[in-house]
Structures are given as C-alpha cells and as structure tokens.
Amino acid sequence: MDLNLLVYLDVLLREKNVTKAAGQLNITQPAMSNGLKRLRNLLNDPILVRTSEGMVPTERARELAPIVRGVLLTLEETLQPNKDFEPEQSQRVFRIMASDYAASTLIPVLLKKMRVLAPNTSLDIMTPSDVNFHDVENGKVDMAINRFDQLPQSFHQKTVWRDTFSCLINAKNPVLARFNLDSYLKAQHIWVSKTGFGVGVGMDPKDVQKLGWVDEALAHLGKQRNISVFTRNYHVAMHLSVGMDLIATLPTRAARLYENDPSMAIMDPPFVIPAIELKMIWSPLLHQDASHIWFRRLITEVAEELN
C-alpha cells in the first residue's frame, strides 16, 4: 500500500471536500481526485458520498478516521526532531488560544516571566473564535487555554487551576445592604461565559442548558435570575458592573482584578456554584518538542505561583 494514501484519506475525511483537501496538501485537485479513486478501489468503499449537504463520509470511512489520524499523529510525533531549547537565545513565537479570562489572569504573569527567561521570544494570543480543534491538533497553535466541555481523545491536557465564583458589585448598589439569595434574584445581572472553540450564537434567557454554570446551579434550586446583558467578554462584564447596578457573577480570579478598587465589592454568591477548571491542551505533534516542553513547564510554574 502507498502510505501517502493514508495522508490523503486523513485530510479528505477532515475537509470532506476534494478541492480543500488538495489545498491542504499543496497538490492539484486532479491529483487528489486520483488519490480518492485509488482509496475507493483499495478499500472497496465510496469513502465520501455526495449528498444535498455536501460530501458525507460512509460508515466505513467514519470507522477508519480516528484510526488513521492516530497512526499519522504517532508517526509524526516519533519523527519530530528533538533539539535542545535555549530560551535565552530563542526567537520563537508561541501561539496561544486563550479566553479573555485566562488572558487577564494568567498571561500577564507568564509574559513577565518570559521577558526575563526568554527575552527574544514573543506571544501570539488568539481568541476562541480565531481557531478550531484542527488548528490545535495540527500544531498550528501551540496551546489552547480555556474551559472545555469536551475534548478529542488525542489531545494532551493539564489542569492549570480550579476556580470558584464571586459576585462583582458596585459598592453603592443597594443590594449589598442585605445580600442574600432573594435580593440576588431581584437584582439585574450580566451573563458572561465562553467555552471551547468557534463563533458564539445568540442567547435565549429561557434556555438554561446553554446558559452555563451559574444558571444551571440556580435551576437546581428552581430559581432563575434576571439577565439584562449577555456578553462573551469578561472585561465587558466587569466594566459594566463598575458603572451600573448590575451584578457580574464570574470566576473569582477575574473578580479579584478589582479587589483594590474601593468603588467595587466582591461577594460570595448566596448559593453554591460548582468550581470550574481552566485547562491547557496541546497537540501530540508538539508533545516531545523541547521548546514546547519548556513552555508548558513555565505555564505550570506561573499557575502554581498564582495559586
């Protein structure tokens, strides 16, 4: 068997488009079409079938996809050159996908360390909507730091830290006179959440399943809060809570960015919200890379210091 066909099959099943797959491998569209024809003959299966929704993998192709991906990742990981990394001399650009929660709490301290230990390196910080799982899997992004509901099994992962929730409230907000569940529910709130990858969609206040941790915790109590603003950005939520009578219930590390601001109060929520985990994930292709190993260790050290 021509092992190049495994590469063709892997890209075809990810792109589900002959032209896009050819572009990924920098070959011509006819060459990719020929590769698909050879795969069909070899496996005695159509592999991809054209439907009204585009090219759809067959059942046989879906069974093969994770196996082929795993074989190729293992091979690429094994053949990666293992050079020593000298941070003082390196000019490497480390590319991170980070939520603004991670970017505002972890990244400033990480960057300060990098400026000392690896002064010529730089950070390229992207938002969750800038990249997808394929970008991480293919090593185009060194690290994704966020909260994730589900992850592909091929990814390496490590918990950066666990965080509780706090309420950020304007110090003049009357709700503080008697802050309890009843007054919390009567107040107006800012909803903020962003997980995983991809562009977000509009929110429905009635769809508790999609509202996330805070509202799910309230739903278990048979309660619902009054949400005035929906945002995917923690800094927007914090800024709005500073100047208005809106409560922002958000991870404690984010709320503590305002702990020295006398105009703001940080309160424990008047109900139990399960803690969240901030994780870093990376591709198997980068797992043995010396510079990546150094970078992962540095992130871990910074997280431990902040803990």
Side-chain angles (χ1 to χ4, degrees):
M1 177 183 178
D2 181 356
L3 293 181
N4 282 327
L5 291 178
L6 287 181
V7 180
Y8 286 18
L9 179 59
D10 176 56
V11 178
L12 280 166
L13 293 180
R14 281 189 284 120
E15 296 295 337
K16 300 180 181 64
N17 182 290
V18 172
T19 302
K20 290 182 179 179
Q24 282 284 319
L25 296 178
N26 292 317
I27 62 175
T28 64
Q29 193 269 349
M32 181 56 77
S33 295
N34 182 57
L36 177 57
K37 181 179 178 181
R38 292 170 63 195
L39 282 165
R40 284 169 168 165
N41 291 334
L42 178 69
L43 300 173
N44 193 27
D45 187 271
I47 306 299
L48 290 170
V49 178
R50 190 177 300 280
T51 70
S52 59
E53 297 179 354
M55 299 291 277
V56 176
T58 63
E59 184 63 29
R60 171 77 167 140
R62 284 195 289 269
E63 291 174 355
L64 286 172
I67 299 172
V68 171
R69 176 94 288 240
V71 168
L72 293 176
L73 283 172
T74 300
L75 183 60
E76 289 187 49
E77 181 181 352
T78 303
L79 297 178
Q80 281 284 338
N82 192 18
K83 299 178 180 178
D84 291 334
F85 178 64
E86 298 179 355
E88 303 88 352
Q89 306 300 324
S90 175
Q91 297 184 357
R92 194 189 193 289
V93 177
F94 290 98
R95 292 184 171 83
I96 304 178
M97 185 288 285
S99 63
D100 68 312
Y101 161 58
S104 59
T105 55
L106 175 73
I107 301 301
V109 184
L110 174 64
L111 182 58
K112 189 178 294 185
K113 287 264 188 181
M114 291 178 67
R115 295 285 296 275
V116 174
L117 301 175
N120 297 315
T121 60
S122 54
L123 279 178
D124 181 6
I125 304 171
M126 291 165 280
T127 68
S129 59
D130 291 329
V131 299
N132 55 44
F133 279 134
H134 292 319
D135 295 327
V136 178
E137 187 177 48
N138 294 332
K140 294 180 180 178
V141 178
D142 292 295
M143 191 79 67
I145 305 176
N146 204 347
R147 296 170 292 158
F148 301 98
D149 293 328
Q150 293 181 333
L151 289 170
Q153 292 185 350
S154 62
F155 284 8
H156 291 280
Q157 60 177 286
K158 183 179 177 64
T159 298
V160 178
W161 61 49
R162 289 170 61 83
D163 201 357
T164 57
F165 280 83
S166 291
C167 298
L168 188 63
I169 310 172
N170 188 298
K172 296 181 180 179
N173 193 323
V175 75
L176 291 172
R178 190 174 182 181
F179 191 61
N180 53 32
L181 181 58
D182 185 57
S183 61
Y184 179 92
L185 294 174
K186 289 179 180 178
Q188 296 297 313
H189 295 264
I190 305 167
W191 176 94
V192 56
S193 182
K194 182 65 178 175
T195 60
F197 294 90
V199 178
V201 295
M203 296 304 301
D204 182 353
K206 298 178 182 179
D207 194 350
V208 175
Q209 292 298 318
K210 292 184 179 179
L211 290 179
W213 299 270
V214 177
D215 297 279
E216 285 181 8
L218 283 172
H220 285 305
L221 299 175
K223 306 294 183 180
Q224 187 174 359
R225 59 178 174 166
N226 300 314
I227 301 173
S228 296
V229 180
F230 291 89
T231 178
R232 281 76 178 165
N233 188 292
Y234 285 96
H235 280 289
V236 170
M238 290 185 284
H239 182 71
L240 290 176
S241 66
V242 167
M244 303 181 71
D245 61 344
L246 298 172
I247 298 176
T249 306
L250 63 168
T252 299
R253 291 178 187 276
R256 283 180 181 165
L257 295 175
Y258 283 82
E259 64 183 349
N260 295 321
D261 187 338
S263 69
M264 300 302 297
I266 299 174
M267 304 290 291
D268 292 332
F271 57 100
V272 176
I273 307 173
I276 58 169
E277 282 191 344
L278 183 71
K279 291 186 176 183
M280 58 180 181
I281 65 172
W282 63 93
S283 168
L285 298 179
L286 297 169
H287 189 62
Q288 302 297 337
D289 181 85
S291 63
H292 201 272
I293 292 172
W294 176 86
F295 190 52
R296 298 197 305 265
R297 287 174 178 168
L298 185 62
I299 293 174
T300 301
E301 288 175 11
V302 168
E304 288 176 351
E305 286 183 15
L306 291 173
N307 276 332

